Amino acid sequence: MNFIKYLLYGVSWGCTVFVLTNLVGYWTVGDVFLQKTYENFLNHVVGSIIVGIGCATPSIVYQVERLTFLQQALIHFSIGLTTFFIAAFSLKWIPTTSIFLVVLMVVVNILIFTVVWLLFYLYNRHEVKKMNEKISEFTER
């Protein structure tokens, strides 16, 4: 059942990021930003959903207790990034006109993935702390 939950989280995150990316691109660059999306809309939507699934679904690895946290994080991070880069290069989200641009975009996307992962990690750690405090309140009575 958790797999379905993570799968649906992935679909919703993929759609949300797709919409937000296109909104920000439109607001900063204008109609030019949306031109490639218009030309191949369905593929871009499906690609975004696949990336969302590829980033959210591997979160199930954190339930595998025999793995260390570092192993879990590396597996999750690797699957998410691999899924993203396959979609990004297939759909030309990353320009391949120069090696410098490719390297720059790869580094920028790895940094973005790292920041997003850290934000989710900090949020979840905070939630666990709150739950543990509630449990302590009940056990102290």
Side-chain angles (χ1 to χ4, degrees):
M1 196 56 153
N2 279 336
F3 179 79
I4 301 294
K5 179 178 81 170
Y6 289 125
L7 182 78
L8 294 175
Y9 281 155
V11 170
S12 64
W13 274 108
C15 291
T16 300
V17 170
F18 176 78
V19 169
L20 291 175
T21 300
N22 283 292
L23 276 174
V24 170
Y26 176 76
W27 289 333
T28 57
V29 180
D31 286 336
V32 172
F33 185 86
L34 298 176
Q35 199 61 39
K36 292 289 182 191
T37 304
Y38 291 150
E39 293 170 6
N40 209 353
F41 181 77
L42 182 61
N43 287 348
H44 290 291
V45 170
V46 170
S48 297
I49 291 171
I50 289 170
V51 170
I53 291 169
C55 291
T57 306
S59 297
I60 204 158
V61 75
Y62 295 107
Q63 296 176 11
V64 179
E65 294 179 16
R66 71 178 183 273
L67 297 174
T68 66
F69 178 71
L70 181 60
Q71 290 171 322
Q72 294 167 335
L74 286 173
I75 290 168
H76 180 213
F77 204 74
S78 298
I79 293 171
L81 272 177
T82 300
T83 305
F84 170 75
F85 284 124
I86 289 170
F89 284 111
S90 298
L91 294 168
K92 298 185 181 12
W93 294 342
I94 296 178
T96 56
T97 52
S98 79
I99 191 70
F100 174 76
L101 269 177
V102 170
V103 171
L104 178 66
M105 293 302 292
V106 166
V107 169
V108 166
N109 281 291
I110 289 172
L111 289 173
I112 291 169
F113 265 70
T114 302
V115 168
V116 170
W117 185 90
L118 281 171
L119 291 173
F120 273 101
Y121 170 75
L122 292 172
Y123 170 77
N124 286 315
R125 192 172 88 174
H126 177 73
E127 290 298 303
V128 167
K129 188 176 181 181
K130 283 184 0 186
M131 284 188 246
N132 285 337
E133 288 171 0
K134 289 282 186 192
I135 290 170
S136 292
E137 289 175 17
F138 286 118
T139 58
E140 290 174 359
R141 292 181 184 184

